[in-house]
Amino acid sequence: MASSVKQLCTICNDDGISNSAVTWCTECEVLFCGDCEKPHSKSHLSKNHKTMSADDYQKLPTFMQEISSQCQDHKKKFELYCSFHACPCCVQCVTDKHKMCQEMKPLSDILQQVKSSASVQLFEKDLKIVKENIDTAIKYLQTRITTTDTQKTKAIEKIRYMRKSIDDYLNKLEQDLLNDLESKHLKLRFNMATLAQQMEQRASQINQIQSQFSETTRYTTELQRFIALREIEKITSQTTKYIEDLESGDHFIEKNLEVNLSSALQSFLQDVNSFGIININTTTSTLKIKAGRKDQAQHLIPKVPGVEQIKPSLLTRLTISKDIKSLDISACLILPDGKFIILDRGYLGRDKNQLLLFRNDGIFIRKVVTFTEFPYDDCLVMNNTVAVTLGQGNQTVLVDVNRSKIIQTIKLSHHCFGVASDGKTLVISSGRQCTTVNLSDMSHTILEGMGELFRISLFQGNIYGTNVLQNEVCCYKATGEPLWTFQHQDIVKPKGLTIDRNGFVYIASAGNNSILVVSPDGKICKTLLSDADGIKHPSALDINRETGLMIVSSHTSGEKNEKSYQTCFVYKV
């Protein structure tokens, strides 16, 4: 909250004179009276400084008025920013408190990012969403209070109606039931009213920040704005988490008052020893709140994890029943709803060539379709439509998974091996050429001169592929021009590949039983999973860029004397 104390001129106050300030210099961080402001505005060094009226400065939140461009510990100007501790530092701070911190950046670069980004608009939107969520939750609780009041009234009416047909013998039983009803109703109402009161207090805090937001962004230095936005981000994050915690708990579960009367009331003198029972039944909350952004600070200082920070954790694996344990997995996919698709090609001469669907928990659901040609690879086109290449059949088909039906066949002049799509374009590889298919009009464009790509993937308009003959990973422009090629001793017979939302390339290295990740610039790689993690002869993998789930095909040991078989492991990356 802004201070209500009259501001004094800093210069005069230092001389023991109490003159009221009229101007605040955002760069000198000094308050001036009318007399002191004149030389400041005429000085060659300060005449272009940004100033604001003392009254406007006084309207700023107190925490913003306390923000300074100088380190309070060392009285030196902030020049650096520590990403690890998320705070500005002076040169002396680095020596005293940040010796081990590796991510020190020029503060000017950070402030420029804030200035040139949409951070202000994003946080203003965050405030609006949080306020709307609080208002919605309060209105919801008020509605629930009214509903429980109505339920109480109806319960009493029901009890009174039955009461008319009975005599004084039921008076005590009736009163006991009414007392029970009152007790449970008061408990419900008190809990909801208390919660609503707590949320109204938070709403008041958010209202206050909203009302001061324009001053926060209009009259402050870039440093003040940066630190202020971080404080606002902290408040909105805490409030968002507060609402989400309430929603994930039982605070918004609908608890309904209900009275159940005994069916034997007509013969109560012989059978009835209570007037009834007051129940509180719970149902799923109907409250709908808007999702807020997570970790808003990343919008102030964007940060992409490095290769070393990528560490997959195992979630589950597909359960392969005996009747499908002869799987020969050629490709695997994660659908938008979290279900899994497995492309099972012919195994030891058995002509299966089928697309199989598994549940989110890895349980087999059903066969989607069977192919007459030998399938090679698949990819998600959009929603639940999957493209499957049919190798030497020179065809690629589009399959509607929900309808278990091939809805379109695309015939090409070459073999169809690797396939990838961005929802608008389909890219199909074969030998040293690729064909791009425009999915809107099905027009074809052939890209010549590309390497022997085994599998391919698309990211931000570029084409990525594995060359199993050369043990390398390649990146090309959408026009087929090479961007980079990466080879490493740990990449042996690379087959399947996929790309996460940050552009990191994941590779199934079948020759040494491992899954590797290559940096977006094709310069660094790291082994994520190996034989020690149970990975054996991996050939297929896929990542859902929205959820961060990764599915990897692998051989696994059978039980007792049972032969090994193929399955897929699901990880979070």
Side-chain angles (χ1 to χ4, degrees):
M1 179 181 295
S3 173
S4 59
V5 179
K6 191 66 175 178
Q7 301 284 358
L8 298 177
C9 173
T10 305
I11 307 299
C12 294
N13 191 53
D14 289 343
D15 293 334
I17 303 172
S18 300
N19 286 337
S20 297
V22 296
T23 303
W24 165 260
C25 177
T26 61
E27 297 185 43
C28 296
E29 297 182 357
V30 171
L31 286 163
F32 294 106
C33 63
D35 292 336
C36 293
E37 195 275 336
K38 292 178 181 177
H40 174 267
S41 62
K42 294 180 180 180
S43 170
H44 177 72
L45 296 176
S46 60
K47 65 180 181 180
N48 293 322
H49 284 191
K50 183 179 179 181
T51 61
M52 61 188 296
S53 71
D55 290 338
D56 287 339
Y57 174 73
Q58 195 171 14
K59 293 177 184 178
L60 294 175
T62 301
F63 76 90
M64 289 196 62
Q65 294 183 24
E66 295 174 351
I67 297 172
S68 172
S69 63
Q70 286 193 340
C71 172
Q72 298 301 309
D73 295 331
H74 306 108
K75 307 305 178 184
K76 294 183 178 181
K77 188 176 181 64
F78 288 129
E79 297 180 4
L80 300 171
Y81 181 82
C82 176
S83 298
F84 181 79
H85 291 98
C87 67
C89 312
C90 70
V91 176
Q92 189 64 39
C93 288
V94 177
T95 304
D96 291 353
K97 301 179 181 179
H98 301 270
K99 291 181 179 179
M100 304 304 294
C101 298
Q102 301 296 318
E103 299 184 23
M104 302 296 294
K105 301 178 180 179
L107 182 59
S108 58
D109 291 350
I110 301 300
L111 298 181
Q112 185 61 33
Q113 289 180 22
V114 176
K115 181 178 180 180
S116 61
S117 71
S119 301
V120 174
Q121 292 82 357
L122 286 172
F123 282 107
E124 186 175 21
K125 183 179 179 181
D126 290 337
L127 282 171
K128 181 180 179 182
I129 290 175
V130 170
K131 179 59 170 59
E132 288 177 354
N133 285 340
I134 290 181
D135 290 343
T136 300
I138 292 173
K139 185 180 295 184
Y140 170 81
L141 290 172
Q142 291 172 341
T143 301
R144 291 303 307 154
I145 291 173
T146 301
T147 299
T148 55
D149 288 346
T150 302
Q151 291 169 343
K152 176 189 174 184
T153 300
K154 291 182 178 180
I156 294 175
E157 291 175 352
K158 192 174 183 180
I159 294 169
R160 295 302 186 189
Y161 176 80
M162 183 58 68
R163 180 68 181 83
K164 292 178 183 179
S165 62
I166 59 178
D167 58 29
D168 293 341
Y169 175 79
L170 295 179
N171 286 341
K172 182 180 181 300
L173 297 178
E174 177 194 22
Q175 193 59 49
D176 289 343
L177 183 62
L178 290 173
N179 289 342
D180 188 22
L181 171 64
E182 187 67 20
S183 175
K184 291 180 178 178
H185 167 261
L186 287 176
K187 182 178 180 180
L188 280 179
R189 197 178 195 284
F190 175 78
N191 290 340
M192 289 187 287
T194 300
L195 181 57
Q197 184 179 16
Q198 293 172 355
M199 297 188 75
E200 287 172 345
Q201 292 174 354
R202 289 182 178 261
S204 176
Q205 182 185 24
I206 296 299
N207 278 334
Q208 190 172 23
I209 296 177
Q210 274 188 306
S211 65
Q212 298 170 345
F213 194 86
S214 61
E215 286 81 3
T216 299
T217 59
R218 190 183 310 164
Y219 302 117
T220 58
T221 65
E222 292 174 347
L223 175 62
Q224 288 176 324
R225 186 180 305 126
F226 170 71
I227 298 178
L229 290 177
R230 289 193 60 83
E231 184 64 23
I232 293 173
E233 174 264 327
K234 178 180 177 182
I235 295 171
T236 55
S237 293
Q238 290 174 344
T239 308
T240 297
K241 185 176 185 304
Y242 170 74
I243 298 173
E244 292 175 344
D245 288 346
L246 291 178
E247 185 186 23
S248 63
D250 63 353
H251 295 84
F252 294 139
I253 294 177
E254 296 186 1
K255 300 178 180 180
N256 301 305
L257 286 169
E258 179 182 343
V259 59
N260 291 328
L261 297 177
S262 172
S263 61
L265 277 175
Q266 296 299 325
S267 56
F268 70 93
L269 290 175
Q270 293 80 25
D271 304 322
V272 178
N273 57 13
S274 70
F275 205 89
I277 299 174
I278 299 297
N279 291 325
I280 298 176
N281 298 322
T282 61
T283 58
T284 303
S285 172
T286 57
L287 175 65
K288 302 295 183 184
I289 65 173
K290 297 180 180 179
R293 291 186 299 137
K294 309 292 185 183
D295 302 324
Q296 289 95 327
Q298 65 184 332
H299 295 278
L300 287 173
I301 309 171
K303 183 178 181 181
V304 175
V307 167
E308 294 303 319
Q309 295 174 273
I310 301 175
K311 297 178 181 179
S313 56
L314 181 64
L315 298 180
T316 187
R317 75 174 184 177
L318 302 190
T319 301
I320 309 300
S321 57
K322 291 184 179 181
D323 56 334
I324 59 171
K325 276 197 174 177
S326 59
L327 287 177
D328 183 15
I329 300 175
S330 176
C332 53
L333 286 176
I334 303 176
L335 296 178
D337 61 5
K339 293 185 178 70
F340 306 109
I341 283 286
I342 299 299
L343 182 60
D344 177 27
R345 59 189 175 186
Y347 178 77
L348 297 178
R350 302 168 70 178
D351 188 20
K352 294 191 298 180
N353 303 336
Q354 56 190 348
L355 207 60
L356 305 177
L357 180 65
F358 289 77
R359 286 186 343 202
N360 306 54
D361 58 4
I363 303 299
F364 175 65
I365 300 176
R366 59 181 169 86
K367 177 175 69 176
V368 179
V369 292
T370 300
F371 307 103
T372 56
E373 300 287 344
F374 189 83
Y376 198 83
D377 192 15
D378 63 15
C379 74
L380 181 67
V381 178
M382 63 181 68
N383 299 325
N384 286 294
T385 300
V386 174
V388 179
T389 56
L390 301 181
Q392 297 182 6
N394 294 3
Q395 294 180 357
T396 297
V397 296
L398 301 184
V399 178
D400 187 320
V401 175
N402 291 337
R403 295 161 56 193
S404 296
K405 181 180 180 181
I406 295 175
I407 57 176
Q408 190 159 9
T409 299
I410 304 171
K411 296 182 179 181
L412 300 181
S413 59
H414 57 71
H415 296 336
C416 298
F417 295 141
V419 63
S421 176
D422 59 6
K424 299 179 180 179
T425 302
L426 199 65
V427 180
I428 305 162
S429 68
S430 172
R432 291 188 172 275
Q433 65 181 13
C434 285
T435 293
T436 63
V437 180
N438 187 320
L439 292 172
S440 62
D441 60 11
M442 304 312 289
S443 59
H444 299 182
T445 301
I446 295 180
L447 305 176
E448 299 285 357
M450 301 178 72
E452 297 279 352
L453 301 184
F454 184 83
R455 296 293 170 83
I456 59 174
S457 187
L458 303 181
F459 184 75
Q460 294 184 350
N462 294 330
I463 303 171
Y464 297 75
T466 54
N467 187 328
V468 68
L469 300 179
Q470 300 297 324
N471 291 328
E472 61 186 20
V473 182
C474 311
C475 179
Y476 299 87
K477 292 183 179 180
T479 55
E481 301 172 54
L483 289 176
W484 54 258
T485 298
F486 182 77
Q487 289 181 312
H488 192 275
Q489 61 184 8
D490 292 336
I491 299 178
V492 184
K493 293 185 180 179
K495 293 189 176 180
L497 88 161
T498 186
I499 303 174
D500 69 13
R501 63 181 177 182
N502 293 317
F504 288 94
V505 184
Y506 296 70
I507 306 157
S509 183
N512 59 355
N513 302 323
S514 62
I515 303 297
L516 296 92
V517 61
V518 176
S519 59
D521 58 4
K523 295 182 179 180
I524 304 172
C525 82
K526 169 190 173 182
T527 298
L528 297 179
L529 301 166
S530 65
D531 199 353
D533 302 295
I535 300 298
K536 298 182 184 297
H537 310 300
S539 62
L541 75 166
D542 183 45
I543 284 181
N544 184 313
R545 293 174 187 168
E546 296 295 325
T547 63
L549 291 183
M550 177 174 72
I551 184 171
V552 177
S553 71
S554 174
H555 286 259
T556 187
S557 301
E559 298 178 0
K560 297 181 180 180
N561 297 325
E562 188 180 25
K563 294 181 179 180
S564 66
Y565 60 92
Q566 281 189 289
T567 184
C568 286
F569 297 95
V570 181
Y571 298 86
K572 178 71 174 180
V573 293

